[in-house]
Amino acid sequence: MVNVYRPDTLAQALDTLSMGKLTVFSGGTDLMVQHGVRAGMSPRFEQDVLFVDAIEELQYIASAEPEHKGESGQEQALYIGAGVVLADIEQHPLVPSVLRQSVAKIAAPALRNRATLAGNICNASPAADSLPALYLLDARVVLSSIRGQREMALADFILAPRVTALKPDEMLTHIVIPQYDLPEVFYHKVGTRAANALSKLSVAGLARIKRYPKKAPVIADWRVAFGAVGPTVVRSRELESLVVGQSLDTLAKPGFVQQVVGCYREIIRPIDDQRSTAAYRQQASLNLLTRWLEGLSRS
Amino acid sequence: MKIEFYLNSHLVVVDVDPMQSLLHTLRGTMSHTATKEGCGEGECGACSVLFNDRLVNACMMPISQVQGGDVMTLEGLRQTEKGQCVINALLEAKGVQCGFCTPGMVLALYALLEADPNPTELAIRTAISGNLCRCTGYGMIVEAAKIAAEKGEGLW
């Protein structure tokens, strides 16, 4: 039987973490499945377990909390504590729509009442539904240990499937979302059924259109990210620059959309697995990209 | 490990493996068998209970996390007027066949109506989207939600 710790302060949790190898357990909805043995038996954990669900300090959603302001130096940023469950993120008015929409597609209500955003990130599944939205928002993570805090881009934190940059004595304590003004939102998840299905693939998009009184509207910002089509989220700032700065008229030309889609065809290289085939994943991703571009051209 | 919590408003103490799921504590240790074990991995909703007034899958919660908390199962809910309202609505709509999913469904519908006394069809379907039923068919269960909202007017 493993030892369990369930501190109610972050300081105690970090102290415990510094003692040795522990499994950090928040909602535990992935951990319980991963460590399940069979019906009627307790799950088998190899390491001692540190429950962090009782830590009040990690349960907040707030814009610009000065105490935790990291090296990004953003004045206006949204901070989400690691203890916040998905159901609260889904309903919070300060959370960007693209993230709320993607969180609402994870599993079903009872699971979203326990699972956390931080857990979805640290699990680092290629099919993690919150990740495409967070990549688009240029989200950052704050990692804490008794040695202090460090902050990094989420895209640097997730190294490979199930692998993150977390050190053994660290835990993810805050998620930082720089607050962008990107009103055009696209989100589509493809799964076998509406609830409780892991993604075959997902596509998230964000954009801002500048409208001039006498000139054609111009796409001031445009982003797209693909989930479950590679080891980590696929997002290319280089390809995004093909679209940024174009007028909406250009976007309405079929040739232009085909050109952009053709570029993405080169970088979306999914695999076959139990949930879908590579060919389906690639084509459906590109179809959704086309839908996102065409929808935007009509906006 | 000794764990103390409120079960259906009564303070209880159990001495169990700290990683044992709340579901196993309820069924195996405490013989509260209304809460069912279906998939055991959070996908079927047969083990749904309310933990601190929120719908959760009891199979996914180690008992350690229940320390100091408040658990409501069907055994407790059916003693209340609101619980009876949902149960009667399910019977009226013929939303019960084998009954295996029913305790979880009652809890899910109760949680829905507590949050939203006049839910839309979409809200109802979303609320029970984590509760699988393999025989009744969801139409009658959705109907039950509407009946409970209507007949329980003023209650929610």
PDB file of all heavy atoms in Angstrom, chain A residues 223-256:
ATOM      1  N   ARG A 223      -4.933  32.269 -36.628  1.00  0.00           N
ATOM      2  CA  ARG A 223      -4.217  31.126 -36.050  1.00  0.00           C
ATOM      3  C   ARG A 223      -5.032  29.853 -36.232  1.00  0.00           C
ATOM      4  O   ARG A 223      -6.268  29.887 -36.220  1.00  0.00           O
ATOM      5  CB  ARG A 223      -4.007  31.330 -34.543  1.00  0.00           C
ATOM      6  CG  ARG A 223      -3.299  32.629 -34.221  1.00  0.00           C
ATOM      7  CD  ARG A 223      -3.425  32.967 -32.756  1.00  0.00           C
ATOM      8  NE  ARG A 223      -2.838  34.292 -32.538  1.00  0.00           N
ATOM      9  CZ  ARG A 223      -2.380  34.738 -31.384  1.00  0.00           C
ATOM     10  NH1 ARG A 223      -2.453  33.968 -30.323  1.00  0.00           N
ATOM     11  NH2 ARG A 223      -1.861  35.930 -31.291  1.00  0.00           N
ATOM     12  N   VAL A 224      -4.332  28.738 -36.344  1.00  0.00           N
ATOM     13  CA  VAL A 224      -5.032  27.458 -36.392  1.00  0.00           C
ATOM     14  C   VAL A 224      -4.148  26.394 -35.750  1.00  0.00           C
ATOM     15  O   VAL A 224      -2.917  26.434 -35.863  1.00  0.00           O
ATOM     16  CB  VAL A 224      -5.425  27.075 -37.842  1.00  0.00           C
ATOM     17  CG1 VAL A 224      -4.217  26.739 -38.701  1.00  0.00           C
ATOM     18  CG2 VAL A 224      -6.428  25.932 -37.855  1.00  0.00           C
ATOM     19  N   ALA A 225      -4.788  25.484 -35.018  1.00  0.00           N
ATOM     20  CA  ALA A 225      -4.035  24.382 -34.392  1.00  0.00           C
ATOM     21  C   ALA A 225      -4.833  23.095 -34.532  1.00  0.00           C
ATOM     22  O   ALA A 225      -6.067  23.112 -34.547  1.00  0.00           O
ATOM     23  CB  ALA A 225      -3.783  24.695 -32.920  1.00  0.00           C
ATOM     24  N   PHE A 226      -4.087  22.001 -34.662  1.00  0.00           N
ATOM     25  CA  PHE A 226      -4.704  20.691 -34.880  1.00  0.00           C
ATOM     26  C   PHE A 226      -4.317  19.756 -33.737  1.00  0.00           C
ATOM     27  O   PHE A 226      -3.143  19.680 -33.365  1.00  0.00           O
ATOM     28  CB  PHE A 226      -4.211  20.101 -36.206  1.00  0.00           C
ATOM     29  CG  PHE A 226      -4.495  20.978 -37.395  1.00  0.00           C
ATOM     30  CD1 PHE A 226      -3.619  21.999 -37.751  1.00  0.00           C
ATOM     31  CD2 PHE A 226      -5.644  20.797 -38.143  1.00  0.00           C
ATOM     32  CE1 PHE A 226      -3.877  22.826 -38.839  1.00  0.00           C
ATOM     33  CE2 PHE A 226      -5.919  21.614 -39.243  1.00  0.00           C
ATOM     34  CZ  PHE A 226      -5.034  22.632 -39.584  1.00  0.00           C
ATOM     35  N   GLY A 227      -5.321  19.044 -33.209  1.00  0.00           N
ATOM     36  CA  GLY A 227      -5.057  18.088 -32.137  1.00  0.00           C
ATOM     37  C   GLY A 227      -5.216  16.661 -32.623  1.00  0.00           C
ATOM     38  O   GLY A 227      -5.980  16.395 -33.555  1.00  0.00           O
ATOM     39  N   ALA A 228      -4.499  15.746 -31.991  1.00  0.00           N
ATOM     40  CA  ALA A 228      -4.593  14.295 -32.250  1.00  0.00           C
ATOM     41  C   ALA A 228      -4.139  13.900 -33.655  1.00  0.00           C
ATOM     42  O   ALA A 228      -4.480  12.821 -34.131  1.00  0.00           O
ATOM     43  CB  ALA A 228      -6.012  13.776 -31.978  1.00  0.00           C
ATOM     44  N   VAL A 229      -3.377  14.767 -34.307  1.00  0.00           N
ATOM     45  CA  VAL A 229      -2.850  14.391 -35.631  1.00  0.00           C
ATOM     46  C   VAL A 229      -1.319  14.308 -35.615  1.00  0.00           C
ATOM     47  O   VAL A 229      -0.690  14.220 -36.666  1.00  0.00           O
ATOM     48  CB  VAL A 229      -3.301  15.367 -36.747  1.00  0.00           C
ATOM     49  CG1 VAL A 229      -4.804  15.287 -36.939  1.00  0.00           C
ATOM     50  CG2 VAL A 229      -2.866  16.792 -36.455  1.00  0.00           C
ATOM     51  N   GLY A 230      -0.737  14.310 -34.433  1.00  0.00           N
ATOM     52  CA  GLY A 230       0.715  14.207 -34.309  1.00  0.00           C
ATOM     53  C   GLY A 230       1.063  13.944 -32.861  1.00  0.00           C
ATOM     54  O   GLY A 230       0.162  13.904 -32.013  1.00  0.00           O
ATOM     55  N   PRO A 231       2.333  13.764 -32.541  1.00  0.00           N
ATOM     56  CA  PRO A 231       2.723  13.497 -31.149  1.00  0.00           C
ATOM     57  C   PRO A 231       2.347  14.644 -30.214  1.00  0.00           C
ATOM     58  O   PRO A 231       2.015  14.433 -29.054  1.00  0.00           O
ATOM     59  CB  PRO A 231       4.242  13.317 -31.212  1.00  0.00           C
ATOM     60  CG  PRO A 231       4.672  13.626 -32.610  1.00  0.00           C
ATOM     61  CD  PRO A 231       3.462  13.743 -33.476  1.00  0.00           C
ATOM     62  N   THR A 232       2.412  15.867 -30.721  1.00  0.00           N
ATOM     63  CA  THR A 232       1.935  17.022 -29.956  1.00  0.00           C
ATOM     64  C   THR A 232       1.085  17.864 -30.910  1.00  0.00           C
ATOM     65  O   THR A 232       0.944  17.530 -32.082  1.00  0.00           O
ATOM     66  CB  THR A 232       3.102  17.871 -29.404  1.00  0.00           C
ATOM     67  OG1 THR A 232       3.905  18.304 -30.497  1.00  0.00           O
ATOM     68  CG2 THR A 232       3.977  17.065 -28.441  1.00  0.00           C
ATOM     69  N   VAL A 233       0.526  18.961 -30.380  1.00  0.00           N
ATOM     70  CA  VAL A 233      -0.340  19.817 -31.198  1.00  0.00           C
ATOM     71  C   VAL A 233       0.435  20.348 -32.414  1.00  0.00           C
ATOM     72  O   VAL A 233       1.611  20.686 -32.313  1.00  0.00           O
ATOM     73  CB  VAL A 233      -0.859  20.994 -30.348  1.00  0.00           C
ATOM     74  CG1 VAL A 233      -1.546  22.042 -31.203  1.00  0.00           C
ATOM     75  CG2 VAL A 233      -1.801  20.472 -29.271  1.00  0.00           C
ATOM     76  N   VAL A 234      -0.244  20.415 -33.560  1.00  0.00           N
ATOM     77  CA  VAL A 234       0.379  20.980 -34.760  1.00  0.00           C
ATOM     78  C   VAL A 234      -0.080  22.432 -34.908  1.00  0.00           C
ATOM     79  O   VAL A 234      -1.267  22.711 -35.039  1.00  0.00           O
ATOM     80  CB  VAL A 234      -0.020  20.178 -36.019  1.00  0.00           C
ATOM     81  CG1 VAL A 234       0.511  20.866 -37.276  1.00  0.00           C
ATOM     82  CG2 VAL A 234       0.503  18.747 -35.925  1.00  0.00           C
ATOM     83  N   ARG A 235       0.888  23.347 -34.807  1.00  0.00           N
ATOM     84  CA  ARG A 235       0.604  24.761 -35.080  1.00  0.00           C
ATOM     85  C   ARG A 235       1.843  25.345 -35.753  1.00  0.00           C
ATOM     86  O   ARG A 235       2.961  25.122 -35.287  1.00  0.00           O
ATOM     87  CB  ARG A 235       0.315  25.527 -33.780  1.00  0.00           C
ATOM     88  CG  ARG A 235      -0.011  26.993 -34.060  1.00  0.00           C
ATOM     89  CD  ARG A 235      -0.164  27.869 -32.840  1.00  0.00           C
ATOM     90  NE  ARG A 235      -0.208  29.253 -33.317  1.00  0.00           N
ATOM     91  CZ  ARG A 235      -0.136  30.326 -32.547  1.00  0.00           C
ATOM     92  NH1 ARG A 235      -0.036  30.192 -31.254  1.00  0.00           N
ATOM     93  NH2 ARG A 235      -0.155  31.534 -33.085  1.00  0.00           N
ATOM     94  N   SER A 236       1.660  26.074 -36.849  1.00  0.00           N
ATOM     95  CA  SER A 236       2.798  26.652 -37.564  1.00  0.00           C
ATOM     96  C   SER A 236       2.607  28.150 -37.733  1.00  0.00           C
ATOM     97  O   SER A 236       1.728  28.597 -38.469  1.00  0.00           O
ATOM     98  CB  SER A 236       2.946  25.999 -38.944  1.00  0.00           C
ATOM     99  OG  SER A 236       3.786  26.793 -39.764  1.00  0.00           O
ATOM    100  N   ARG A 237       3.451  28.918 -37.034  1.00  0.00           N
ATOM    101  CA  ARG A 237       3.371  30.371 -37.167  1.00  0.00           C
ATOM    102  C   ARG A 237       3.779  30.804 -38.576  1.00  0.00           C
ATOM    103  O   ARG A 237       3.289  31.802 -39.105  1.00  0.00           O
ATOM    104  CB  ARG A 237       4.273  31.046 -36.145  1.00  0.00           C
ATOM    105  CG  ARG A 237       3.675  30.996 -34.749  1.00  0.00           C
ATOM    106  CD  ARG A 237       4.707  31.291 -33.688  1.00  0.00           C
ATOM    107  NE  ARG A 237       4.340  30.653 -32.439  1.00  0.00           N
ATOM    108  CZ  ARG A 237       3.594  31.237 -31.499  1.00  0.00           C
ATOM    109  NH1 ARG A 237       3.159  32.457 -31.664  1.00  0.00           N
ATOM    110  NH2 ARG A 237       3.282  30.595 -30.401  1.00  0.00           N
ATOM    111  N   GLU A 238       4.666  30.021 -39.175  1.00  0.00           N
ATOM    112  CA  GLU A 238       5.140  30.335 -40.531  1.00  0.00           C
ATOM    113  C   GLU A 238       3.969  30.271 -41.518  1.00  0.00           C
ATOM    114  O   GLU A 238       3.763  31.179 -42.324  1.00  0.00           O
ATOM    115  CB  GLU A 238       6.224  29.316 -40.898  1.00  0.00           C
ATOM    116  CG  GLU A 238       7.062  29.684 -42.087  1.00  0.00           C
ATOM    117  CD  GLU A 238       7.965  28.520 -42.495  1.00  0.00           C
ATOM    118  OE1 GLU A 238       8.316  27.697 -41.626  1.00  0.00           O
ATOM    119  OE2 GLU A 238       8.283  28.427 -43.699  1.00  0.00           O
ATOM    120  N   LEU A 239       3.198  29.192 -41.432  1.00  0.00           N
ATOM    121  CA  LEU A 239       2.066  29.068 -42.347  1.00  0.00           C
ATOM    122  C   LEU A 239       0.962  30.070 -42.009  1.00  0.00           C
ATOM    123  O   LEU A 239       0.257  30.548 -42.898  1.00  0.00           O
ATOM    124  CB  LEU A 239       1.517  27.640 -42.338  1.00  0.00           C
ATOM    125  CG  LEU A 239       2.458  26.562 -42.916  1.00  0.00           C
ATOM    126  CD1 LEU A 239       1.755  25.214 -42.978  1.00  0.00           C
ATOM    127  CD2 LEU A 239       2.968  26.948 -44.301  1.00  0.00           C
ATOM    128  N   GLU A 240       0.827  30.385 -40.723  1.00  0.00           N
ATOM    129  CA  GLU A 240      -0.181  31.381 -40.342  1.00  0.00           C
ATOM    130  C   GLU A 240       0.114  32.729 -41.000  1.00  0.00           C
ATOM    131  O   GLU A 240      -0.802  33.477 -41.345  1.00  0.00           O
ATOM    132  CB  GLU A 240      -0.232  31.527 -38.815  1.00  0.00           C
ATOM    133  CG  GLU A 240      -0.912  30.339 -38.140  1.00  0.00           C
ATOM    134  CD  GLU A 240      -0.780  30.332 -36.624  1.00  0.00           C
ATOM    135  OE1 GLU A 240      -0.248  31.314 -36.059  1.00  0.00           O
ATOM    136  OE2 GLU A 240      -1.226  29.341 -36.011  1.00  0.00           O
ATOM    137  N   SER A 241       1.414  33.000 -41.199  1.00  0.00           N
ATOM    138  CA  SER A 241       1.786  34.291 -41.798  1.00  0.00           C
ATOM    139  C   SER A 241       1.352  34.396 -43.260  1.00  0.00           C
ATOM    140  O   SER A 241       1.300  35.484 -43.819  1.00  0.00           O
ATOM    141  CB  SER A 241       3.299  34.520 -41.664  1.00  0.00           C
ATOM    142  OG  SER A 241       3.977  33.630 -42.513  1.00  0.00           O
ATOM    143  N   LEU A 242       1.011  33.254 -43.874  1.00  0.00           N
ATOM    144  CA  LEU A 242       0.461  33.298 -45.241  1.00  0.00           C
ATOM    145  C   LEU A 242      -0.901  33.990 -45.254  1.00  0.00           C
ATOM    146  O   LEU A 242      -1.300  34.601 -46.245  1.00  0.00           O
ATOM    147  CB  LEU A 242       0.279  31.881 -45.802  1.00  0.00           C
ATOM    148  CG  LEU A 242       1.510  31.016 -46.058  1.00  0.00           C
ATOM    149  CD1 LEU A 242       1.082  29.619 -46.480  1.00  0.00           C
ATOM    150  CD2 LEU A 242       2.377  31.650 -47.126  1.00  0.00           C
ATOM    151  N   VAL A 243      -1.621  33.824 -44.158  1.00  0.00           N
ATOM    152  CA  VAL A 243      -2.995  34.337 -44.100  1.00  0.00           C
ATOM    153  C   VAL A 243      -3.047  35.724 -43.469  1.00  0.00           C
ATOM    154  O   VAL A 243      -3.829  36.584 -43.893  1.00  0.00           O
ATOM    155  CB  VAL A 243      -3.895  33.342 -43.326  1.00  0.00           C
ATOM    156  CG1 VAL A 243      -5.316  33.869 -43.208  1.00  0.00           C
ATOM    157  CG2 VAL A 243      -3.887  31.976 -44.008  1.00  0.00           C
ATOM    158  N   VAL A 244      -2.202  35.943 -42.451  1.00  0.00           N
ATOM    159  CA  VAL A 244      -2.212  37.233 -41.749  1.00  0.00           C
ATOM    160  C   VAL A 244      -1.827  38.348 -42.720  1.00  0.00           C
ATOM    161  O   VAL A 244      -0.859  38.222 -43.482  1.00  0.00           O
ATOM    162  CB  VAL A 244      -1.243  37.198 -40.543  1.00  0.00           C
ATOM    163  CG1 VAL A 244      -1.171  38.580 -39.869  1.00  0.00           C
ATOM    164  CG2 VAL A 244      -1.679  36.143 -39.544  1.00  0.00           C
ATOM    165  N   GLY A 245      -2.590  39.406 -42.700  1.00  0.00           N
ATOM    166  CA  GLY A 245      -2.297  40.548 -43.576  1.00  0.00           C
ATOM    167  C   GLY A 245      -3.069  40.509 -44.884  1.00  0.00           C
ATOM    168  O   GLY A 245      -3.129  41.505 -45.609  1.00  0.00           O
ATOM    169  N   GLN A 246      -3.675  39.376 -45.205  1.00  0.00           N
ATOM    170  CA  GLN A 246      -4.454  39.281 -46.449  1.00  0.00           C
ATOM    171  C   GLN A 246      -5.814  39.973 -46.247  1.00  0.00           C
ATOM    172  O   GLN A 246      -6.333  40.037 -45.133  1.00  0.00           O
ATOM    173  CB  GLN A 246      -4.714  37.812 -46.819  1.00  0.00           C
ATOM    174  CG  GLN A 246      -3.464  36.991 -47.039  1.00  0.00           C
ATOM    175  CD  GLN A 246      -2.743  37.351 -48.332  1.00  0.00           C
ATOM    176  OE1 GLN A 246      -3.291  38.040 -49.187  1.00  0.00           O
ATOM    177  NE2 GLN A 246      -1.498  36.896 -48.467  1.00  0.00           N
ATOM    178  N   SER A 247      -6.373  40.427 -47.364  1.00  0.00           N
ATOM    179  CA  SER A 247      -7.723  40.984 -47.270  1.00  0.00           C
ATOM    180  C   SER A 247      -8.731  39.843 -47.314  1.00  0.00           C
ATOM    181  O   SER A 247      -8.422  38.748 -47.782  1.00  0.00           O
ATOM    182  CB  SER A 247      -7.977  41.944 -48.428  1.00  0.00           C
ATOM    183  OG  SER A 247      -8.086  41.201 -49.620  1.00  0.00           O
ATOM    184  N   LEU A 248      -9.920  40.119 -46.829  1.00  0.00           N
ATOM    185  CA  LEU A 248     -10.964  39.089 -46.857  1.00  0.00           C
ATOM    186  C   LEU A 248     -11.290  38.692 -48.294  1.00  0.00           C
ATOM    187  O   LEU A 248     -11.673  37.554 -48.551  1.00  0.00           O
ATOM    188  CB  LEU A 248     -12.234  39.600 -46.167  1.00  0.00           C
ATOM    189  CG  LEU A 248     -12.355  39.408 -44.662  1.00  0.00           C
ATOM    190  CD1 LEU A 248     -13.802  39.640 -44.226  1.00  0.00           C
ATOM    191  CD2 LEU A 248     -11.896  38.041 -44.195  1.00  0.00           C
ATOM    192  N   ASP A 249     -11.117  39.627 -49.237  1.00  0.00           N
ATOM    193  CA  ASP A 249     -11.359  39.309 -50.651  1.00  0.00           C
ATOM    194  C   ASP A 249     -10.425  38.198 -51.122  1.00  0.00           C
ATOM    195  O   ASP A 249     -10.837  37.282 -51.832  1.00  0.00           O
ATOM    196  CB  ASP A 249     -11.129  40.553 -51.528  1.00  0.00           C
ATOM    197  CG  ASP A 249     -12.108  41.658 -51.182  1.00  0.00           C
ATOM    198  OD1 ASP A 249     -13.089  41.344 -50.478  1.00  0.00           O
ATOM    199  OD2 ASP A 249     -11.886  42.812 -51.605  1.00  0.00           O
ATOM    200  N   THR A 250      -9.165  38.285 -50.714  1.00  0.00           N
ATOM    201  CA  THR A 250      -8.191  37.252 -51.100  1.00  0.00           C
ATOM    202  C   THR A 250      -8.628  35.893 -50.570  1.00  0.00           C
ATOM    203  O   THR A 250      -8.541  34.871 -51.240  1.00  0.00           O
ATOM    204  CB  THR A 250      -6.796  37.592 -50.525  1.00  0.00           C
ATOM    205  OG1 THR A 250      -6.511  38.951 -50.842  1.00  0.00           O
ATOM    206  CG2 THR A 250      -5.727  36.689 -51.071  1.00  0.00           C
ATOM    207  N   LEU A 251      -9.116  35.925 -49.323  1.00  0.00           N
ATOM    208  CA  LEU A 251      -9.521  34.676 -48.684  1.00  0.00           C
ATOM    209  C   LEU A 251     -10.684  34.027 -49.424  1.00  0.00           C
ATOM    210  O   LEU A 251     -10.855  32.806 -49.395  1.00  0.00           O
ATOM    211  CB  LEU A 251      -9.944  34.998 -47.247  1.00  0.00           C
ATOM    212  CG  LEU A 251      -9.743  33.909 -46.215  1.00  0.00           C
ATOM    213  CD1 LEU A 251      -8.262  33.561 -46.109  1.00  0.00           C
ATOM    214  CD2 LEU A 251     -10.283  34.351 -44.872  1.00  0.00           C
ATOM    215  N   ALA A 252     -11.511  34.846 -50.066  1.00  0.00           N
ATOM    216  CA  ALA A 252     -12.682  34.313 -50.763  1.00  0.00           C
ATOM    217  C   ALA A 252     -12.306  33.623 -52.068  1.00  0.00           C
ATOM    218  O   ALA A 252     -13.118  32.918 -52.660  1.00  0.00           O
ATOM    219  CB  ALA A 252     -13.680  35.442 -51.034  1.00  0.00           C
ATOM    220  N   LYS A 253     -11.054  33.816 -52.502  1.00  0.00           N
ATOM    221  CA  LYS A 253     -10.637  33.160 -53.750  1.00  0.00           C
ATOM    222  C   LYS A 253     -10.303  31.693 -53.479  1.00  0.00           C
ATOM    223  O   LYS A 253      -9.479  31.393 -52.619  1.00  0.00           O
ATOM    224  CB  LYS A 253      -9.398  33.848 -54.324  1.00  0.00           C
ATOM    225  CG  LYS A 253      -9.659  35.256 -54.818  1.00  0.00           C
ATOM    226  CD  LYS A 253      -8.355  35.875 -55.301  1.00  0.00           C
ATOM    227  CE  LYS A 253      -8.546  37.368 -55.530  1.00  0.00           C
ATOM    228  NZ  LYS A 253      -7.291  38.110 -55.460  1.00  0.00           N
ATOM    229  N   PRO A 254     -10.928  30.765 -54.218  1.00  0.00           N
ATOM    230  CA  PRO A 254     -10.697  29.338 -53.959  1.00  0.00           C
ATOM    231  C   PRO A 254      -9.221  28.967 -54.106  1.00  0.00           C
ATOM    232  O   PRO A 254      -8.712  28.133 -53.354  1.00  0.00           O
ATOM    233  CB  PRO A 254     -11.544  28.627 -55.011  1.00  0.00           C
ATOM    234  CG  PRO A 254     -12.388  29.661 -55.652  1.00  0.00           C
ATOM    235  CD  PRO A 254     -11.866  31.007 -55.321  1.00  0.00           C
ATOM    236  N   GLY A 255      -8.544  29.572 -55.049  1.00  0.00           N
ATOM    237  CA  GLY A 255      -7.133  29.258 -55.274  1.00  0.00           C
ATOM    238  C   GLY A 255      -6.295  29.529 -54.044  1.00  0.00           C
ATOM    239  O   GLY A 255      -5.404  28.744 -53.699  1.00  0.00           O
ATOM    240  N   PHE A 256      -6.611  30.611 -53.327  1.00  0.00           N
ATOM    241  CA  PHE A 256      -5.837  30.961 -52.144  1.00  0.00           C
ATOM    242  C   PHE A 256      -6.039  29.925 -51.040  1.00  0.00           C
ATOM    243  O   PHE A 256      -5.094  29.447 -50.409  1.00  0.00           O
ATOM    244  CB  PHE A 256      -6.218  32.363 -51.655  1.00  0.00           C
ATOM    245  CG  PHE A 256      -5.481  32.762 -50.413  1.00  0.00           C
ATOM    246  CD1 PHE A 256      -4.141  33.155 -50.474  1.00  0.00           C
ATOM    247  CD2 PHE A 256      -6.093  32.714 -49.171  1.00  0.00           C
ATOM    248  CE1 PHE A 256      -3.441  33.501 -49.328  1.00  0.00           C
ATOM    249  CE2 PHE A 256      -5.401  33.059 -48.019  1.00  0.00           C
ATOM    250  CZ  PHE A 256      -4.070  33.450 -48.099  1.00  0.00           C
TER     251      PHE A 256
END
